[in-house]
Amino acid sequence: MSVQPNSAPSTARSQWLADAAVLLVAVFWGSSFITAQKVILIYPLFLFLFFRFTLSMLLLLPAVWGKLKSFTPETLKTGAIFGLFLSLIFSLETLGIAYTTATNAGFLISLCIVFVPVIEALLSRRLPNMLVLGAVLLSFVGTGMLTLKTGYSFNIGDLFILSAAVVRALFMIFSKKLTDGKKTDNALLTFVQLGIVALCTGIVSFLKYPPTQMKLPSPEVWASLLYLAVFCTIYAFYVQLTFIRRSSPARVGLLLGTEPLFAALFGITLGQETVTAVGWVGGICILVATWMGRRAEEASRA
């Protein structure tokens, strides 16, 4: 009688590798705030975005080269719409971190998960459920505790990040609507998105900056651009396509939900930022609100 090999250890190992890969995406995304913040102190913002996404697009080109023959007008149209969304998101995010801390940015951008079910409820003209309302209330309290450190002072950076979170939520909603039931090549779609962001930020750079500022990045800036392109864009894209199939949406959401904690960790260790006890409580409130928003979104799609 033959004995079937036990596949449980290999399955567990595969799950562990998938979880580790997704968690590493959260680490890289958390580090992107302080990395970008340091770069835009010494280099024009929109030129930085232009080179970041041009480099990301060129690095992705070998992976999509053989697929270009299957390129369709539908892919171009959908990718262009997504690219415009991403252009606005990254512009708002990068503007925001020029005026606020990487810690605040990491926590506040995660509120896009809370905004998704709220916006969907508004678009469908129905009242959100109690879980969504609870998440909104908790996120409002957490945002106040995190951002209002010395009284009711207005921080334009936090407003930019919150605006980016709203646009991210809209992007998530329209991404599903525009791709649901359609056969799309994710690699080609991503390539078009990156190209549109590079085009938009390149045009803004040409119109905004005088010729004296239109200079190539320094070696220090190139190093940051390469890090953001390889790890925060290409790697993250590959992991989401490859390893998300080995896990559940809830599990992936939980792992990616740690991004704000890593943003705070990098902001404190590399950016010498400080967070008060009240600020930490506010950040935790936002994380809990994000979890509640994700649960509400999953329940609505079930």
Side-chain angles (χ1 to χ4, degrees):
M1 182 178 65
S2 62
V3 179
Q4 296 295 326
N6 187 359
S7 63
S10 61
T11 302
R13 190 180 303 111
S14 177
Q15 180 66 68
W16 183 89
L17 288 173
D19 288 348
V22 173
L23 185 62
L24 201 53
V25 172
V27 174
F28 289 139
W29 280 352
S31 70
S32 67
F33 296 102
I34 190 66
T35 304
Q37 187 181 61
K38 289 180 177 295
V39 170
I40 60 177
L41 289 175
I42 59 175
Y43 196 69
L45 184 152
F46 287 101
L47 267 182
F48 156 71
L49 290 174
F50 167 72
F51 280 111
R52 172 182 175 177
F53 285 94
T54 299
L55 184 59
S56 298
M57 183 180 64
L58 292 175
L59 290 172
L60 188 59
L61 183 59
V64 301
W65 183 261
K67 301 179 179 181
L68 291 178
K69 58 184 178 182
S70 60
F71 195 84
T72 64
E74 183 67 25
T75 300
L76 178 60
K77 177 184 175 181
T78 305
I81 294 172
F82 290 174
L84 291 174
F85 267 111
L86 288 178
S87 297
L88 184 55
I89 291 168
F90 280 98
S91 296
L92 288 169
E93 281 186 12
T94 312
L95 278 169
I97 60 176
Y99 298 100
T100 191
T101 64
T103 301
N104 276 23
F107 279 115
L108 294 175
I109 198 65
S110 68
L111 286 174
C112 66
I113 300 298
V114 178
F115 294 148
V116 167
V118 173
I119 294 173
E120 286 186 324
L122 291 173
L123 291 176
S124 62
R125 298 181 181 179
R126 57 177 173 79
L127 288 174
N129 61 39
M130 294 304 295
L131 189 62
V132 172
L133 292 176
V136 171
L137 178 61
L138 188 58
S139 66
F140 179 79
V141 172
T143 300
M145 297 175 73
L146 180 69
T147 60
L148 303 178
K149 298 175 182 177
T150 56
Y152 290 91
S153 58
F154 181 75
N155 187 327
I156 189 66
D158 292 332
L159 181 60
F160 278 133
I161 298 296
L162 283 170
S163 299
V166 172
V167 180
R168 262 201 193 191
L170 288 169
F171 176 52
M172 293 168 69
I173 293 169
F174 282 99
S175 294
K176 180 172 177 60
K177 289 183 181 297
L178 291 175
T179 57
D180 199 21
K182 299 179 181 178
K183 291 184 178 180
T184 56
D185 188 291
N186 289 326
L188 278 177
L189 201 56
T190 300
F191 182 75
V192 175
Q193 292 176 59
L194 296 177
I196 294 297
V197 179
L199 177 64
C200 290
T201 53
I203 292 173
V204 172
S205 298
F206 179 79
L207 296 174
K208 180 178 176 61
Y209 303 124
T212 54
Q213 288 186 279
M214 299 288 283
K215 56 185 179 181
L216 289 174
S218 65
E220 179 185 356
V221 174
W222 272 122
S224 297
L225 286 168
L226 188 62
Y227 172 78
L228 290 169
V230 172
F231 297 105
C232 301
T233 306
I234 303 300
Y235 170 81
F237 164 71
Y238 173 79
V239 166
Q240 289 182 83
L241 279 182
T242 306
F243 291 96
I244 200 169
R245 297 185 182 92
R246 303 183 189 177
S247 191
S248 67
R251 193 181 186 100
V252 170
L254 181 63
L255 292 168
L256 292 181
T258 60
E259 176 190 347
L261 296 178
F262 289 114
L265 178 63
F266 284 108
I268 292 169
T269 55
L270 300 180
Q272 287 78 53
E273 297 178 359
T274 59
V275 183
T276 64
V278 173
W280 276 116
V281 174
I284 292 171
C285 287
I286 289 176
L287 286 178
V288 174
T290 300
W291 176 82
M292 292 169 65
R294 183 172 282 113
R295 287 292 301 273
E297 183 189 5
E298 290 172 354
S300 68
R301 298 186 189 282

